Amino acid sequence: MTPQNRPRVSVGLIAGVLIVVLILAAALAYGIHSGIRARVEASGNLARQTETSEAPPVAVVHPEAVAPAAEVVLPGNAQAFVDAPIYARINGYLKKWYVDIGDHVKTGQLLAEIEAPEADQQLVQARADLSTAQANLRLSAITAERYQNLLKSDSVARQDVDEKMGDREAKQSVVDSASANVKRLTDTQSFEKVLAPFDGTITARKTDTGTLVDAGANGAAKELFHLASKEKLRIYVNVPEVDSRAARVGVLADLTLEEYPGRHFRGEVVRTAEAIDPTSRTLLTEVDADNAKGELLPGSYIQVHLKVPPTASAVTVPASALLFRAEGLRIGVVHGAMVELIPVTLGRDFGNSTEVITGLKATDWVIANPSDSLATGAVVRPLQSGK
């Protein structure tokens, strides 16, 4: 066959073959690249899974919201609304006493009598001095009046009249002084009768018939009686600084006593010290309680229940979640698998749980039992508490 008779290869066929070859080569290259990338990603995921599986597991919990109204129970010391020791106001011997412990007395009631012979004799002498002074005054007044009449007829000198008038004024001053002394001694003699200064109950009698008593309040041994008015009681309670918002004037308080199980007495906050004691970090608060029936006794140990208003952002966490570090109090929070130590401000201590005022949200995952070596940036495997 001559060259002119050989079949000619189409140019289009050659181009089509080349295109097919290029497409196959591109597909092969893409497949190789995808395989390599998949193997790389798989290797990274495996590494992360291995890292996560090797991270220490930690139990995490959500903070709990604080109850709308919490209650704080504090010990209180009950005292009589009015409480006073009764002392003698005059020296002498106790003649007789009329009341004893437990007796109810009224204002002005006679409690005891004191014999004071020295004071009685001083009063007798003072009255005699007053009588003498009054007699001298009368004589001086008569003399001065006579000299004034003689002066009208120029029978005496003006100087003599002035002397007699001055003498009368001096005698009047002596009378005034003697009268004041008599009144003083009369008042002193009245102290021989020991009277009740207010309505109340005798809680102590510290004297007896024939006892030598001294005026004043120089020592406990000279106290005759102790009187207390317990129609109303004052209960003093030291409220911790963190709960001081509960001690607002006008707030009602429940009072409980061990000797009255199941019973609640009503009290009211009437005043506070309005200053935190720097030593105890507490606020001295007075709660008054009516005691008309006398069921509450002065000196009793009383539990005072106060309502603490809630803090809007406050939550509670387990007490075991707290970390005490040199830089301050911290709580561990987990974000994904990463730990962050958050500074917080504490509120009330509930025993197994603690109130956190600032630093946490209810949606945070808190590590319930962190290790002492826990640090920010550590990788952990969080496990929800109870799962």
Side-chain angles (χ1 to χ4, degrees):
M1 182 179 296
T2 62
Q4 289 82 4
N5 295 331
R6 293 177 182 173
R8 294 182 177 179
V9 179
S10 172
V11 176
L13 179 60
I14 295 174
V17 171
L18 291 174
I19 291 173
V20 172
V21 172
L22 291 174
I23 292 174
L24 291 175
L28 179 60
Y30 178 76
I32 293 172
H33 175 72
S34 298
I36 293 174
R37 186 175 62 182
R39 285 194 295 273
V40 171
E41 291 179 354
S43 176
N45 291 336
L46 180 61
R48 285 192 295 270
Q49 291 176 1
T50 301
E51 182 181 358
T52 303
S53 62
E54 292 178 353
V58 292
V60 294
V61 295
H62 279 310
E64 297 181 0
V66 179
E71 182 181 82
V72 59
V73 182
L74 301 168
N77 180 35
Q79 296 183 14
F81 197 78
V82 182
D83 185 277
I86 308 300
Y87 291 89
R89 292 292 307 279
I90 189 172
N91 298 332
Y93 294 91
L94 191 72
K95 181 179 180 181
K96 189 175 183 180
W97 51 266
Y98 298 97
V99 294
D100 209 340
I101 59 171
D103 289 344
H104 298 272
V105 299
K106 298 293 184 180
T107 303
Q109 181 174 335
L110 181 62
L111 306 181
E113 289 185 275
I114 298 173
E115 282 187 335
E118 292 180 357
D120 295 340
Q121 291 301 318
Q122 289 175 1
L123 179 58
V124 171
Q125 181 180 353
R127 286 173 175 166
D129 292 341
L130 176 59
S131 298
T132 301
Q134 290 172 338
N136 292 334
L137 175 61
R138 286 194 296 270
L139 178 59
S140 179
I142 292 172
T143 302
E145 184 179 358
R146 287 175 178 171
Y147 268 71
Q148 284 180 323
N149 293 330
L150 291 173
L151 180 62
K152 295 177 182 178
S153 59
D154 294 328
S155 300
V156 294
R158 180 69 187 184
Q159 178 64 31
D160 295 335
V161 175
D162 292 340
E163 290 178 357
K164 299 304 180 183
M165 294 294 294
D167 182 68
R168 186 185 67 177
E169 293 177 358
K171 294 295 193 300
Q172 180 64 56
S173 297
V174 173
V175 169
D176 293 342
S177 176
S179 297
N181 191 40
V182 169
K183 185 179 185 306
R184 178 183 66 83
L185 292 173
T186 301
D187 291 341
T188 300
Q189 188 184 50
S190 69
F191 294 140
E192 293 179 354
K193 297 182 182 297
V194 181
L195 307 178
F198 54 86
D199 294 354
T201 303
I202 300 296
T203 60
R205 177 178 62 84
K206 300 182 179 181
T207 188
D208 210 339
T209 303
T211 302
L212 177 65
V213 294
D214 295 327
N218 299 321
K222 295 180 175 60
E223 181 181 341
L224 303 181
F225 303 95
H226 205 94
L227 182 62
S229 175
K230 58 178 185 176
E231 294 294 319
K232 180 182 288 188
L233 294 185
R234 305 176 192 264
I235 297 95
Y236 289 99
V237 57
N238 292 299
V239 181
E241 181 179 1
V242 69
D243 297 321
S244 59
R245 293 178 298 124
R248 302 189 309 274
V249 175
V251 169
L252 298 179
D254 285 336
L255 310 175
T256 58
L257 295 86
E258 292 185 357
E259 54 265 39
Y260 295 106
R263 289 192 59 183
H264 290 259
F265 298 88
R266 182 58 58 87
E268 180 182 352
V269 177
V270 294
R271 61 182 57 86
T272 69
E274 297 188 0
I276 300 297
D277 188 326
T279 302
S280 63
R281 293 299 175 188
T282 58
L283 176 67
L284 181 61
T285 302
E286 179 186 334
V287 177
D288 286 357
D290 289 330
N291 190 37
K293 296 181 180 179
E295 295 177 296
L296 305 179
L297 300 178
S300 297
Y301 178 84
I302 296 179
Q303 296 285 347
V304 181
H305 302 248
L306 295 172
K307 299 294 183 182
V308 181
T311 303
S313 60
V315 293
T316 60
V317 297
S320 59
L322 302 179
L323 286 170
F324 298 91
R325 297 296 172 85
E327 60 272 19
L329 192 65
R330 296 291 186 270
I331 287 181
V333 176
V334 178
H335 300 292
M338 194 76 67
V339 174
E340 181 183 3
L341 298 186
I342 304 294
V344 295
T345 302
L346 297 186
R348 291 162 290 165
D349 185 356
F350 301 118
N352 293 331
S353 62
T354 302
E355 181 184 30
V356 177
I357 299 176
T358 60
L360 288 181
K361 302 186 296 293
T363 56
D364 290 333
W365 285 109
V366 174
I367 301 177
N369 293 283
S371 64
D372 292 337
S373 60
L374 189 68
T376 296
V379 177
V380 296
R381 181 157 51 92
L383 300 175
Q384 295 185 29
S385 180
K387 296 186 177 180

